Amino acid sequence: MPHLLSTIRNQIPLTAYAYRGEEECCNLCGSRDRLTVSRTDRRLKTLKTVACEQCGLIRTDPMPTDAELDAYYAGEYRLDYQFAFSRKPPRFHLTRSQREAEGRLALLAPALEGRRRVLDFGSGSGEFLALAAGAGHDVQGIEPGQSFASFAREKYGVPVESRVWQEVAFEAGRFDVITANHVLEHLREPVSALRRMAEWLAEDGILHVSVPNALGRRRHSFQHFHFAHVYNFTPQSLLWAGLVAGLEPDPRFAQQGTTLVFRKRKAGAAVPVWAEGEGSRVAAHFEPSSPLRFLLSCRWIVDALRRFRKVAGDSWARA
Ligand SMILES: [Zn+2]
């Protein structure tokens, strides 16, 4: 019953989420100095988001605890975020996931010659694993969401560890290719997760990371933020996160915004030096805008209809 009450409360605009959280320092540089960039999220609910003054990494403040995030994922996350009313992934999600997996496999082709050992960190419903297995690679997934992990195992016959990454123990150097697609922004310790992935990577392996770009174009600054995204990256802070985790960009792949392909950092290569004023530059991107004015403008109805049309289109695609 407490879950149901918090689920209902979390659907009401202009109110706060049912969470207390805790004060955290920046997971990238350790600084506690921060600038507020937004007090609202894309559901028009109260949610304070800050940018680290030193490195510009954006985070929710206060940070939800593991227990609070678990409660959110167990309750309204699938409904709120993915329109999923049953435990099976909805059709529009599978269409999008398939499309994304095809693009990811094509992007990583230079590192996928021969039979490679591939890990998908946050493998979701398993479309990338299925494609990579079909191309002859040895695949492994990690997916903490039980229903999506079961779906991947049953539909595609791919191996998926259904646990949080801290509980997974692979030996060092186990994988040639690791991908983490739209995962880091959900983690309370994204840099520690990158460090762990770097350990699992073979000496000549690659690590592909893609996250939403917090500096991407949105009509209102609050439309970037979501309760499940506890960290938000810029191209610069994602690059620094990789460097801190012992990685460097692989020169075969150009950085595309917040999509980066790393390799293990060679001895003596540059380590990050924070650019002075980075936090202020990031914060300046988020101009204050009024969620109440947005609500009264009825513009949100147009946005909701557009979103519904996309969902409907992807639901009926490839029927
Ligand atoms: Zn920082």
Side-chain angles (χ1 to χ4, degrees):
M1 190 56 79
H3 268 187
L4 179 62
L5 289 177
S6 66
T7 298
I8 293 168
R9 181 175 160 191
N10 285 352
Q11 298 298 324
I12 303 170
L14 307 177
T15 63
Y17 282 94
Y19 95 106
R20 290 170 62 94
E22 56 195 10
E23 193 176 314
E24 285 267 315
C25 61
C26 172
N27 189 246
L28 174 51
C29 73
S31 171
R32 289 192 179 277
D33 297 331
R34 56 206 191 271
L35 301 163
T36 300
V37 297
S38 181
R39 295 186 180 278
T40 310
D41 77 351
R42 70 173 81 158
R43 299 283 183 263
L44 300 176
K45 289 188 63 69
T46 309
L47 185 70
K48 186 178 161 201
T49 302
V50 299
C52 171
E53 262 196 86
Q54 181 162 252
C55 73
L57 182 60
I58 296 168
R59 68 181 188 274
T60 304
D61 181 44
M63 178 66 64
T65 63
D66 281 326
E68 286 164 342
L69 282 173
D70 287 348
Y72 180 76
Y73 283 112
E76 61 272 39
Y77 174 69
R78 295 288 179 206
L79 180 64
D80 189 29
Y81 198 45
Q82 301 185 326
F83 293 123
F85 296 96
S86 73
R87 301 196 70 74
K88 199 178 151 213
R91 187 170 179 87
F92 84 91
H93 164 85
L94 297 177
T95 304
R96 291 178 185 179
S97 181
Q98 180 71 25
R99 199 158 55 209
E100 183 286 321
E102 287 166 6
R104 199 184 336 166
L105 203 67
L107 171 72
L108 301 180
L112 287 170
E113 287 169 11
R115 189 182 178 93
R116 314 300 282 172
R117 299 164 297 171
V118 178
L119 171 68
D120 194 10
F121 184 104
S123 49
S125 45
E127 284 67 35
F128 179 77
L129 291 175
L131 272 186
H137 303 293
D138 293 323
V139 302
Q140 174 69 54
I142 303 174
E143 171 52 52
Q146 302 284 342
S147 57
F148 275 42
S150 300
F151 177 86
R153 283 191 290 254
E154 287 161 20
K155 182 167 172 70
Y156 304 118
V158 290
V160 178
E161 291 247 17
S162 189
R163 309 166 196 236
V164 294
W165 65 271
Q166 294 93 332
E167 293 173 1
V168 177
F170 295 126
E171 67 272 24
R174 159 97 180 257
F175 298 102
D176 303 305
V177 173
I178 301 178
T179 72
N181 186 62
H182 287 234
V183 177
L184 287 190
E185 68 272 22
H186 293 266
L187 305 180
R188 294 179 78 242
E189 298 172 286
V191 180
S192 308
L194 277 176
R195 210 173 271 127
R196 180 70 62 85
M197 286 186 259
E199 288 169 15
W200 293 337
L201 205 58
E203 277 310 309
D204 59 350
I206 59 145
L207 168 52
H208 160 264
V209 180
S210 189
V211 291
N213 187 350
L215 302 184
R217 293 171 71 84
R218 293 279 196 285
R219 196 174 301 111
H220 297 280
S221 62
F222 53 78
Q223 290 177 313
H224 285 278
F225 304 114
H226 188 285
F227 188 76
H229 295 183
V230 291
Y231 276 97
N232 293 269
F233 292 83
T234 65
Q236 181 64 73
S237 58
L238 182 63
L239 173 62
W240 279 336
L243 293 176
V244 166
L247 300 158
E248 65 183 5
D250 185 316
R252 290 176 294 172
F253 303 88
Q255 178 172 358
Q256 297 172 20
T258 43
T259 296
L260 247 166
V261 181
F262 292 106
R263 64 180 184 186
K264 286 200 172 191
R265 199 169 71 230
K266 310 297 177 199
V271 292
V273 177
W274 319 119
E276 197 169 327
E278 181 64 14
S280 303
R281 268 193 295 277
V282 169
H285 179 82
F286 299 97
E287 288 175 17
S289 51
S290 161
L292 189 59
R293 190 179 300 164
F294 177 67
L295 203 57
L296 292 174
S297 76
C298 294
R299 179 73 214 182
W300 62 275
I301 297 175
V302 177
D303 289 351
L305 285 174
R306 190 170 290 152
R307 193 161 167 241
F308 177 75
R309 200 176 64 184
K310 277 190 193 165
V311 167
D314 287 333
S315 296
W316 289 307
R318 301 180 186 211

